[in-house]
Amino acid sequence: MAKSVYIHIPFCVRICTYCDFNKFYIANQPVDEYLDCLIKEMSTREDKVVETMFVGGGTPTALSEEQLEKLLRAINDLFVITKEYTFEANPDELTEAKIKLLKQYGVNRLSLGVQTFDNELLKVLGRTHHSEDIEKAVNLSRKHQIESVSLDLMFHLPGQTLKQFDDSLNKALALDVDHISSYALILEPKTQFYNLYRKGRLKLPNEDLGEEMYQHLKETLKASHLNQYEISNFAKEGHESLHNMVYWKNEEYYGFGAGAHGYINGIRYGNINPVNQYIKKIQNNELPKLQSSEVSIKEQMEEEMFLGLRMSKGVSKTKFENKFNRTIEDVFGEHVKELTSQALLIDENDFLRLSNRGQIIGNEVFERFLLS
C-alpha cells in the first residue's frame, strides 16, 4: 500500500523562465473549481493513513488564504499524516497569515523556492521575490515553529559566477536552515530559457564551471551543519526529505491534480495537464489519467539502481535480492565491475554507492543500468 501522497497545484503568479512543470498563470483561472475537483479526486484513494504528504506546483502559496484553508481542511479530512507534511512556497507569497494557516493544519515542513540570493539573477529567472524576502520567510517560519525549513538553490545559471553561487550558499547557511536542495540548471524544452538558447540569445557557463560549482557546493556544505544524503540534497540530521526518499527508494505513492504522477500497485500513471480538461473529467466522474502503464520487473530493477544510487548511502544488495529474488551481481554484474574499476562506483559492505566522480557524472553512470 502507498504511504505517500503528492498533490499538484498548477498555478503561479508568474511563470519562471526555466520551469517545465505543469503550471498556469493564476489570473482568470478557475481555481475554486479546480480545488473542488482535486478534493473529489483525492477522495478516491484507498489509504487514509499516510507517512508523507507533499503539496507542490506550480506554487501552492499562490492560492488566496481562503483557497489555501479550503485545501488544508480537505487534506485533514481525507488523510492522517503520520510523519512529514511539506508545502512548497515562494518567499514573497509566504505571508504570516498563510504560515499560521499551514501551522494550524499540521504542516511541519516548508520547501522555499529561493534559487539564488542575487537580485539580478532572480530577475533573469523570472522570480517575483528579492533576497530580503527569503530572510523574512525563514524568520516567520521559525516564529511560528515550522519544524523544518528547506531552501532550493540553483547553479550553472546564465551569467552566474562561482562567487555569486558562493554568496548564495553562505547566506543560506547564515539563516541556519534545516535542509538545502541544490542543482544545476537544466534547459528543458518548452521553457523560455530553452527557446532563447536555441535562438542564440542565452549563454550558459561552461561545463567545467558547472562541475566546479558542484564541487564547491559539496565542500562548503560538508564543512557546515548539513550532511549530504543525496546527490543534490543536504540536511541536518533528522531533517532529510522523507517524501523524496520515497521516490529514490522506488516506493509507491499517490499523485493527485492536473499533471500529477503516481505509482500504485505496480502501475505508474500521469494525469492530464490542462486545468479545464482535468476539471471536465472529474465533473463527469471520470478518472483524469492521461496515461498509465504497468512497470515490468526489468524496469523496476533498473529504477531500483539509478534512483537508489542518487542517495549517498547507495543501494543495498540485500534489499535488492529480497525484493527481486535476484542478486545485483546476477543482473548488473558486468556493469558494476566496469564502473568500480573506473572508480565511479564503490562496493562497500552491503551497499553500492557513487564515488565523488560518479556523483558529478551521475547521469552517465545511471545509463549503464538500463538493460537492453
Side-chain angles (χ1 to χ4, degrees), residues 135-234:
E135 182 175 358
K136 181 180 178 182
V138 172
N139 289 339
L140 283 174
S141 301
R142 297 302 192 202
K143 176 182 175 181
H144 294 285
Q145 299 180 323
I146 299 294
E147 296 172 22
S148 195
V149 177
S150 176
L151 304 186
D152 285 354
L153 293 176
M154 298 178 73
F155 61 89
H156 204 236
L157 299 173
Q160 187 183 35
T161 64
L162 180 60
K163 185 179 183 304
Q164 285 174 309
F165 182 51
D166 178 64
D167 182 61
S168 287
L169 280 177
N170 287 323
K171 287 180 177 178
L173 290 171
L175 291 174
D176 192 31
V177 293
D178 306 292
H179 187 286
I180 290 177
S181 295
S182 189
Y183 42 90
L185 170 71
I186 298 176
L187 288 182
E188 299 285 3
K190 301 181 181 179
T191 63
Q192 295 177 51
F193 267 1
Y194 182 80
N195 292 332
L196 289 172
Y197 183 77
R198 289 191 65 185
K199 294 175 183 176
R201 294 166 54 192
L202 182 75
K203 185 176 180 180
L204 295 177
N206 63 48
E207 290 301 319
D208 289 342
L209 180 56
E211 288 191 13
E212 187 179 356
M213 287 177 170
Y214 180 64
Q215 284 289 74
H216 184 70
L217 165 74
K218 292 178 61 174
E219 291 167 6
T220 300
L221 296 189
K222 186 177 181 180
S224 76
H225 54 282
L226 303 178
N227 302 310
Q228 184 176 19
Y229 71 100
E230 191 267 350
I231 285 179
S232 302
N233 287 270
F234 307 77

Side-chain angles (χ1 to χ4, degrees), residues 2-265:
K3 61 182 182 181
S4 295
V5 173
Y6 173 78
I7 295 171
H8 194 70
I9 306 299
F11 305 116
C12 295
V13 173
R14 184 188 293 180
I15 304 302
C16 297
T17 51
Y18 58 89
C19 180
D20 74 328
F21 294 130
N22 189 44
K23 76 283 181 188
F24 302 90
Y25 181 51
I26 195 169
N28 302 317
Q29 289 288 339
V31 179
D32 289 299
E33 286 181 80
Y34 177 81
L35 291 176
D36 288 337
C37 291
L38 174 63
I39 292 165
K40 185 175 180 180
E41 186 194 7
M42 289 192 295
S43 69
T44 64
R45 85 278 175 262
E46 296 178 8
D47 305 282
K48 181 176 178 65
V49 179
V50 296
E51 293 183 1
T52 73
M53 171 77 64
F54 194 105
V55 184
T59 318
T61 48
L63 301 176
S64 68
E65 290 175 28
E66 294 75 21
Q67 291 163 341
L68 182 60
E69 184 164 22
K70 178 179 183 177
L71 174 61
L72 288 163
R73 188 185 302 115
I75 290 171
N76 276 22
D77 288 343
L78 292 169
F79 297 97
V80 174
I81 304 159
T82 62
K83 292 185 179 179
E84 182 185 274
Y85 188 179
T86 302
F87 253 74
E88 285 187 337
N90 281 345
D92 55 324
E93 296 168 1
L94 198 58
T95 63
E96 187 159 14
K98 289 181 181 179
I99 291 178
K100 285 181 178 179
L101 274 177
L102 295 171
K103 178 66 178 179
Q104 176 187 338
Y105 283 92
V107 173
N108 56 20
R109 186 174 184 272
L110 288 176
S111 178
L112 303 182
V114 169
Q115 315 314 351
T116 177
F117 282 76
D118 187 285
N119 285 331
E120 291 305 311
L121 284 174
L122 286 169
K123 290 180 186 177
V124 172
L125 295 175
R127 304 296 291 172
T128 56
H129 68 272
H130 299 91
S131 59
E132 56 267 26
D133 296 318
I134 303 166
E135 182 175 358
K136 181 180 178 182
V138 172
N139 289 339
L140 283 174
S141 301
R142 297 302 192 202
K143 176 182 175 181
H144 294 285
Q145 299 180 323
I146 299 294
E147 296 172 22
S148 195
V149 177
S150 176
L151 304 186
D152 285 354
L153 293 176
M154 298 178 73
F155 61 89
H156 204 236
L157 299 173
Q160 187 183 35
T161 64
L162 180 60
K163 185 179 183 304
Q164 285 174 309
F165 182 51
D166 178 64
D167 182 61
S168 287
L169 280 177
N170 287 323
K171 287 180 177 178
L173 290 171
L175 291 174
D176 192 31
V177 293
D178 306 292
H179 187 286
I180 290 177
S181 295
S182 189
Y183 42 90
L185 170 71
I186 298 176
L187 288 182
E188 299 285 3
K190 301 181 181 179
T191 63
Q192 295 177 51
F193 267 1
Y194 182 80
N195 292 332
L196 289 172
Y197 183 77
R198 289 191 65 185
K199 294 175 183 176
R201 294 166 54 192
L202 182 75
K203 185 176 180 180
L204 295 177
N206 63 48
E207 290 301 319
D208 289 342
L209 180 56
E211 288 191 13
E212 187 179 356
M213 287 177 170
Y214 180 64
Q215 284 289 74
H216 184 70
L217 165 74
K218 292 178 61 174
E219 291 167 6
T220 300
L221 296 189
K222 186 177 181 180
S224 76
H225 54 282
L226 303 178
N227 302 310
Q228 184 176 19
Y229 71 100
E230 191 267 350
I231 285 179
S232 302
N233 287 270
F234 307 77
K236 292 180 182 177
E237 187 174 352
H239 288 268
E240 299 82 0
S241 173
L242 300 179
H243 185 85
N244 285 336
M245 288 174 74
V246 169
Y247 303 147
W248 302 323
K249 291 179 179 179
N250 202 23
E251 296 173 344
E252 297 192 344
Y253 57 94
Y254 290 103
F256 298 115
H261 289 78
Y263 181 29
I264 298 293
N265 298 325

Side-chain angles (χ1 to χ4, degrees), residues 257-366:
H261 289 78
Y263 181 29
I264 298 293
N265 298 325
I267 305 294
R268 202 176 296 281
Y269 66 88
N271 282 350
I272 54 179
N273 290 330
V275 167
N276 287 328
Q277 290 184 32
Y278 172 85
I279 289 172
K280 184 176 180 180
K281 284 281 189 180
I282 297 291
Q283 289 177 339
N284 289 337
N285 295 314
E286 299 176 44
L287 292 174
K289 290 181 174 52
L290 174 66
Q291 46 80 20
S292 63
S293 60
E294 184 174 353
V295 182
S296 68
I297 295 297
K298 168 182 166 292
E299 291 169 321
Q300 289 180 43
M301 290 190 295
E302 292 173 341
E303 292 173 1
E304 192 80 10
M305 296 304 296
F306 63 71
L307 291 172
L309 284 172
R310 292 191 62 88
M311 295 183 289
S312 298
K313 192 174 181 179
V315 177
S316 166
K317 292 187 280 187
T318 299
K319 181 184 174 185
F320 186 98
E321 185 174 0
N322 290 340
K323 189 171 184 178
F324 299 111
N325 292 317
R326 296 181 68 183
T327 66
I328 289 178
E329 288 75 14
D330 178 38
V331 182
F332 299 107
E334 185 177 324
H335 303 300
V336 169
K337 185 176 180 180
E338 185 177 1
L339 290 167
T340 51
S341 70
Q342 295 172 349
L344 296 174
L345 201 63
I346 296 171
D347 187 346
E348 191 171 65
N349 299 323
D350 183 49
F351 285 86
L352 288 173
R353 59 182 176 86
L354 294 178
S355 65
N356 180 62
R357 180 61 184 165
Q359 288 186 340
I360 293 172
I361 59 170
N363 287 336
E364 294 179 32
V365 177
F366 301 152

